[in-house]
Amino acid sequence: MKEFKHFINGQFVASSSSFENRCPADNKLIGTVYEAGKAEVDTAVKAANAAMKGPWGKLSLNARVALLYKVADRINERFEEFVDAEAQDTGKPKSLARHVDVPRGAANFKIFADVIKNVPTEAFRFEGPDGVQATNIAHRTPKGVIAVISPWNLPLLLTTWKVGPALACGNAVIVKPSEETPASTTLLAEVMNECGVPPGVFNVVHGFGPASTGELLTSHPGIDAITFTGETATGEAIMKAASVGLRDISLECGGKNSALVFADCDLDKAVAGTMRSVFLNCGQVCLATERVYVERPIFDEFVSKLAEAANKIKVGPPDDTEASMGSLISQEHQQKVLGYYELAVEEGATVVLGGGVPDMPDDINSGAWIEPTIWTGLADGARVVNEEIFGPCCHIRPFDNEDEVIALANDTAYGLGASVWTENSSRAIRVSEQLEVGMVWVNCWFLRDLRTPFGGAKQSGIGREGGVHSLEFYTELKNICIQL
Ligand code: NAD
Ligand code: 6OD
């Protein structure tokens, strides 16, 4: 039985309260997770602040960059351990963890080490009307102690996406992983120690959100900024906590993302891409497509091709090498998604595929399994078309022209991502420019260049991270004006 302890000031420590960690693919107990209370959070915050004043705060940029490269290399050396940790905690296929989660976990350290080395700051030469002259030089300093609050869907990927740039910029971090997925962040703590990251620079406190570790951490006055990924409602709570003491926030929140499929698309590419965008990670990706709009002349063909492809998805446990879809994260989430499956029928949907729980072998039958599901025929105002479900499902609706589909895609409180499928590049740009989202993928989806801005419009978030945008958040930019 495993024990997931906090990692504070370079030491693994337990606390008085704990909870179970179960694998959602078979509901078997993985181990015990300790819940950090006020004392542990306080110690972690003190350790992180002390680290900022110690050798870490004085480490040269080159030394910091070398250390982050070492961390990335060590993740790759312990690659299969991270794969196992991620797959057990989430129920996702190991093949997925090998292709997406763990490689990105390592890349997030290297890329941001490179960014910090290569991004210049601005300088202005000033000449006043009275002949006074000055040179202005911008200078970046770390922001301080950053709280990183992570979700469960891509635990290592999304935690390191914040920790990588935060450390590259010279900050100290306290990570609060999701209560559902403590394993990969705990393993990352071991890696930090193995690589010689100084005590207090990287800390982990486990626990829940409201009235628990998450709230204690985000409301702690010793935290200088909070970076959060998760639900919009949680983002609102964190924003309130951050307002005390005017701490900076970066919020990456929910989505109800659309795919716009035009009749002039390459249909096979659009079907294959939509298969990924709807069903990858059992639909538990913030960028996942839940609303598909297809131009009427190809509507029937698109629906039948997507259903045919989705019908071939093999659902299975992490070790099943033929399975392309795992379980949902928990039985609680399974009930939520099933609730939407029932609601879709009540709201008048035609169920093209799925809509229930698959029959699984006895030994894993208590896992959080769910069928890939496709609906048509819902009204635009239906809750299923408007609320984030976070499961392997989508509604497909026909449209007749560009203006109509842009209005449909934008008719949502969210604004995270969209994908546009067309072989007409003028249309691709024209449509993309009008979509009220942070990211548009044309003839692809979730193709990530980590130098590009990532984040959401409307209720999908505040701020952008990625490349230089991460530096904007994780550093304080100071102007030094030198009169000549
Ligand atoms: P969640 O908001 O329930 O939890 C995320 C984290 O916040 C967890 O660690 C949780 O313990 C913590 N938390 C909850 N309440 C808190 C509080 N009051 N104070 C401090 N911490 C608190 O989200 P989830 O269910 O883990 O993840 C799924 C959601 O995340 C979906 O809505 C999805 O769209 C979103 N998400 C967004 C992105 C993005 O980049 N925009 C990426 C991944 C997931
Ligand atoms: O690729 C990324 O950097 C990123 N933040 C992905 C988010 C996926 C959401 O589930």
Side-chain angles (χ1 to χ4, degrees):
M1 216 36 56
K2 291 187 178 147
E3 277 194 318
F4 300 100
K5 293 184 177 171
H6 317 296
F7 183 69
I8 300 174
N9 207 21
Q11 308 273 333
F12 285 96
V13 291
S15 50
S16 55
S17 169
S18 64
F19 56 97
E20 286 181 344
N21 179 28
R22 288 184 179 271
C23 173
D26 54 16
N27 204 31
K28 290 205 178 99
L29 195 61
I30 300 172
T32 299
V33 191
Y34 290 97
E35 181 187 12
K38 193 171 180 325
E40 291 78 28
V41 169
D42 218 35
T43 313
V45 173
K46 283 197 181 114
N49 276 288
M52 290 303 296
K53 295 194 177 74
W56 176 250
K58 297 180 184 63
L59 204 64
S60 72
L61 176 62
N62 282 347
R64 220 158 61 215
V65 163
L67 204 49
L68 295 186
Y69 261 68
K70 213 168 153 185
V71 170
D73 290 340
R74 190 66 188 137
I75 291 174
N76 283 328
E77 282 162 17
R78 299 187 66 176
F79 194 91
E80 282 303 313
E81 288 176 73
F82 276 99
V83 167
D84 288 348
E86 213 68 325
Q88 272 216 316
D89 267 2
T90 60
K92 68 178 75 188
K94 285 190 179 174
S95 54
L96 182 60
R98 280 190 194 106
H99 280 97
V100 177
D101 304 68
V102 183
R104 262 297 300 279
N108 284 335
F109 287 99
K110 285 199 173 161
I111 300 270
F112 288 105
D114 291 344
V115 170
I116 190 78
K117 269 194 93 164
N118 292 305
V119 171
T121 48
E122 65 217 86
F124 288 100
R125 180 68 184 259
F126 173 78
E127 288 177 19
D130 55 356
V132 67
Q133 295 198 17
T135 287
N136 290 279
I137 307 165
H139 177 71
R140 289 187 189 280
T141 51
K143 209 159 237 175
V145 176
I146 313 282
V148 177
I149 311 284
S150 302
W152 44 256
N153 60 326
L154 299 163
L156 183 70
L157 187 159
L158 289 171
T159 296
T160 53
W161 162 246
K162 312 291 197 170
V163 171
L167 297 190
C169 292
N171 301 284
V173 298
I174 303 172
V175 182
K176 209 295 281 169
S178 167
E179 53 275 26
E180 306 280 1
T181 52
S184 56
T185 311
T186 310
L187 209 48
L188 185 61
E190 287 182 21
V191 164
M192 294 289 174
N193 259 359
E194 288 166 354
C195 294
V197 172
V201 171
F202 176 84
N203 304 276
V204 181
V205 285
H206 292 292
F208 302 93
S212 176
T213 318
E215 205 174 299
L216 287 167
L217 184 60
T218 51
S219 57
H220 198 294
I223 295 293
D224 297 301
I226 304 165
T227 181
F228 165 75
T229 310
E231 280 184 31
T232 298
T234 312
E236 287 173 352
I238 286 178
M239 206 171 164
K240 276 190 201 141
S243 72
V244 179
L246 285 190
R247 279 95 45 78
D248 204 357
I249 43 162
S250 170
L251 304 180
E252 293 180 11
C253 300
K256 187 74 185 177
N257 311 295
S258 56
L260 289 65
V261 185
F262 288 91
D264 58 11
C265 72
D266 176 324
L267 188 59
D268 289 339
K269 251 197 259 170
V271 169
T274 308
M275 276 294 295
R276 273 190 72 236
S277 75
V278 175
F279 301 112
L280 187 85
N281 208 36
C282 206
Q284 303 165 119
V285 180
C286 58
L287 308 157
T289 303
E290 291 190 0
R291 298 180 294 144
V292 184
Y293 299 106
V294 182
E295 206 166 357
R296 204 173 296 275
I298 60 162
F299 180 79
D300 290 340
E301 193 181 358
F302 181 91
V303 172
S304 85
K305 282 195 164 184
L306 192 75
E308 190 188 328
N311 199 27
K312 291 188 187 136
I313 291 175
K314 171 145 193 250
V315 178
D319 276 317
D320 183 339
T321 51
E322 280 163 21
S324 55
M325 203 171 98
S327 68
L328 289 167
I329 188 66
S330 62
Q331 289 175 337
E332 189 188 341
H333 191 50
Q334 182 196 38
Q335 289 312 307
K336 177 186 159 186
V337 175
L338 266 179
Y340 277 106
Y341 283 15
E342 283 158 20
L343 180 64
V345 175
E346 282 165 30
E347 292 188 312
T350 300
V351 181
V352 178
L353 185 79
V357 174
D359 272 337
M360 301 300 282
D362 284 350
D363 57 330
I364 56 169
N365 205 21
S366 56
W369 304 105
I370 197 87
E371 285 179 340
T373 293
I374 298 174
W375 305 287
T376 56
L378 283 169
D380 294 330
R383 281 181 54 202
V384 167
V385 179
N386 288 280
E387 296 174 16
E388 184 188 47
I389 300 171
F390 223 53
C393 52
C394 67
H395 177 251
I396 317 183
R397 179 213 197 273
F399 70 88
D400 293 300
N401 62 62
E402 238 176 73
D403 287 345
E404 181 196 10
V405 73
I406 291 166
L408 285 167
N410 287 340
D411 186 18
T412 167
Y414 291 110
L416 192 55
S419 44
V420 175
W421 299 90
T422 173
E423 292 297 303
N424 177 335
S425 49
S426 300
R427 185 203 293 279
I429 293 171
R430 191 169 60 235
V431 171
S432 301
E433 285 181 351
Q434 295 177 73
L435 293 174
E436 296 165 356
V437 292
M439 292 150 293
V440 181
W441 277 280
V442 176
N443 295 330
C444 60
W445 175 78
F446 200 6
L447 185 57
R448 292 285 288 116
D449 179 332
L450 304 190
R451 296 167 300 182
T452 60
F454 186 102
K458 293 156 75 173
Q459 289 185 26
S460 287
I462 295 185
R464 294 291 180 273
E465 296 197 35
V468 64
H469 309 283
S470 293
L471 305 195
E472 295 298 341
F473 179 71
Y474 293 106
T475 59
E476 207 59 72
L477 191 57
K478 171 167 35 197
N479 186 60
I480 302 172
C481 175
I482 307 161
Q483 185 172 344
L484 303 174

